[in-house]
Amino acid sequence: MLRLEGLRVRVEDREILKGADLEVQRGQVHLIIGPNGSGKSTLALAVAGHPAYEVVGGRIFFEGEDITSLPPDERARRGLFLAFQNPVEIEGLNMADYLAKLIEKRTGEKPLTPLREHVVEFVMEKLGPYLEALGFNEGFLDREINVGFSGGEKKKFEILQMFALRPKLAILDEPDSGVDVDSLNVIGRLLDRAVQEGITLLLITHTGGLYRHLKVDRVHVMYDGRIVASGGGDLFERIQESGFEVVMR
Amino acid sequence: MTLTEEFLVSKARQISRELGEPDWLREMRERSARLFFKLDMPEHARHVKVDFESLEYFSPAEKAEKLEELPQEIRETLEALGIPEEEMEMLAGMQVQVDSSIVYQTFSDQLKSLGVIAMPIDRAIREHEDLVRSYFARLAGPEENKILALHYALWAGGTFIYVPEGVEVPFPISALFVMRSLPVAQADHTIVVAEEGAKVHYIEGCSAPSYIREALHYGVTEVWAYPGAEVRITTMQNWANHVINLPTKRGVAMSRAKIEWVESLMGSKHTAVRPVIHLRGEGSSARNVGLSFVKGEERHDAGVVIRHLAPNTKSQVISKSVAKDRGSTNFYGKVEIVQGAKGSSGFVQCDSLLLSPEASSETIPALRSDEIDSELGHEAYVGKVAEDKLFYLMSRGLSEEEAITMIVLGFFEPVVRDIPFEYANEIKKLIELSIKGM
Ligand SMILES: Nc1ncnc2c1ncn2[C@@H]1O[C@H](COP(=O)(O)OP(=O)(O)OP(=O)(O)O)[C@@H](O)[C@H]1O
Ligand SMILES: [Mg+2]
């Protein structure tokens, strides 16, 4: 589904990814772990096509096709999704309008009219259960994208967008950090359901919070811009216990 | 062609003759034509390069009785203002000016029965000469600078609106200005007078199709708000990137009068504009809202000058600008409170958004108060780069155009929210169209 071959990425004149190799198979759940600053988010942003993250070497394949030089919207249209570690605020952009637009992108369906009540109705019809599960009441739909959201709300909103778009592959960059325990369980259950519905997951995390909810197929360790080790779920448990030392030897 | 004094004076005479103007106007035109050669560019437009020699200064257009009779290209240009034809018909009291002539007008009977005068200014001069004369060139004169001198030598078209005491015009009066021939110079002259307690909303839309090579727009707007009057002016401009836009805007508010100026300015090669509002009467107020969007190599040097000349006057200036590519948008906000204007307050807020690292934006506040019992405030958030916002939306599958539209509309939203729904919608459409034209 996703294959990185010797990916080298430069940000602001500094090479951050120094030849990362990775392969994620369809329908699986993969984890990326690694120390702060090792390049996990850089990898995620480069795969999603952020223009400031310049690919200076290697290639990115998605469903067998080279997407290295495609613009981000085209990658998304092919079924790639990134839940950001730090989602940005977009002032003045209404949640309901935005979510309706995402749903329209995927399904071609639109609200009856652009009137607020119709847009809200449409979004509730399509995403109601997810909104509820994630603790967003209807009032949230009147707010501006991420503006004034708490850290946890931002993370949950990223998950909500994943369900609005239903991608083939979702890269989730620390969806568990800053999230309370109840919300963590909700996110865990939702992600598990996503996997059952056929969404492939590449999860970047520092904690075992979501690990418990998911059947993890493979764990990759990132260190200084490279994937230095890969293994099964036991690798994650070993590292959680004894630190990154285990793979550094 | 070289632009000689003889040429300009004879051109001024010719226009005056064709329009059948009274002597005082012809004389003002001739005098202004001569002044053109002696005066400098306005201070805020010193750096604007205008090729005066290559412009066509008076180009009459065919008149039409019905909107459908207007040439296709003109109708398309009107649509570029975001106004669908069905809606145009409904906009009451509409007139359309192409280049130098009013080609279409329909001022509703309702206006007439209220005693409101709203008509092309050349017709107003024929029908209400003394009235027009008492307001014409009173707030901006030909001796001020080169552009105004040229304007008063060659102006053609524009609107005259007079609202009698106590009359509230129940719907906005609108006018549309279109440039068509190339290269052209359009100099419309608009006067809005609201007598005591009168209320009026005037909407003007200006546009030029993109195939125009080089064009100059140098209209003048003069606004009079008598005691307790409320004048609201909404200007929607969508200029092609070959238009140089150097309008002059002046307003004066008497006691308790309100002037509100909302201007959405999209495009143009270079715009330099510095509206001046004088709060002359006690308790008068002004609100000036500017939305601007530049792309490519476009440049806006916008601004406003507000002078508080009486006690308890209030002013609010809001500027929101977006720059894309190598566009540059600058705002100069000057608010002055003179000694004796006790209890007055002025507030300037500037906010800009940069859609690319090469775009630029600058805000220059110039606040000055000579009165201790007064308040001045300034807030600026300049140069927020939107690259991450753009990526966020594009990573969700929205095209660049959709993403920019959402970000820009969101950015303008706090201002657009205050505008009546249907006009806010027009402004939104205008922004969308302008982004589409990238
Ligand atoms: N836009 C940027 N500008 C400058 N430096 C950057 C940028 N993005 C990443 N970096 C740098 O690249 C390195 C890797 O950052 P990255 O965010 O990929 O780390 P990470 O593995 O996700 O860390 P964490 O676990 O803390 O989230 C860091 O040194 C970071 O400062
Ligand atoms: Mg990170």
Side-chain angles (χ1 to χ4, degrees), chain B residues 178-195:
Chain B
V178 177
M179 285 201 222
R180 177 207 47 173
S181 16
L182 47 148
V184 72
Q186 188 177 56
D188 41 292
H189 197 102
T190 290
I191 296 175
V192 180
V193 182
E195 289 282 12

Side-chain angles (χ1 to χ4, degrees), chain B residues 92-135:
Chain B
M94 194 184 78
Q95 72 173 38
V96 179
Q97 171 163 349
V98 176
D99 296 343
S100 306
S101 322
I102 308 284
V103 293
Y104 173 77
Q105 64 179 83
T106 114
F107 286 108
S108 87
D109 293 337
Q110 203 182 345
L111 284 176
K112 263 179 240 152
S113 68
L114 289 168
V116 175
I117 301 169
M119 57 175 66
I121 191 162
D122 37 348
R123 196 177 123 207
I125 288 164
R126 286 191 297 275
E127 295 178 17
H128 308 274
E129 183 181 337
D130 291 342
L131 190 64
V132 178
R133 188 176 184 177
S134 59
Y135 290 104

Side-chain angles (χ1 to χ4, degrees), chain A residues 11-12 14 16-17 34-43 45 52-53 85 173-174 204 206 222:
Chain A
V11 191
E12 308 239 322
R14 224 180 99 207
I16 307 293
L17 291 194
N36 294 136
S38 56
K40 303 181 296 299
S41 296
T42 300
L43 181 143
L45 291 164
Y53 292 70
Q85 181 176 4
D173 195 351
E174 299 195 23
I204 298 170
H206 290 294
M222 176 139 232

Side-chain angles (χ1 to χ4, degrees), chain A residues 50 82 89 105 158 161, chain B residues 388-389 392 394 396 402:
Chain A
H50 194 302
L82 169 62
E89 300 181 357
K105 281 271 152 190
E158 294 293 289
Q161 290 176 70
Chain B
D388 282 333
K389 296 183 205 286
Y392 186 80
M394 287 180 74
R396 301 283 138 91
E402 288 170 325

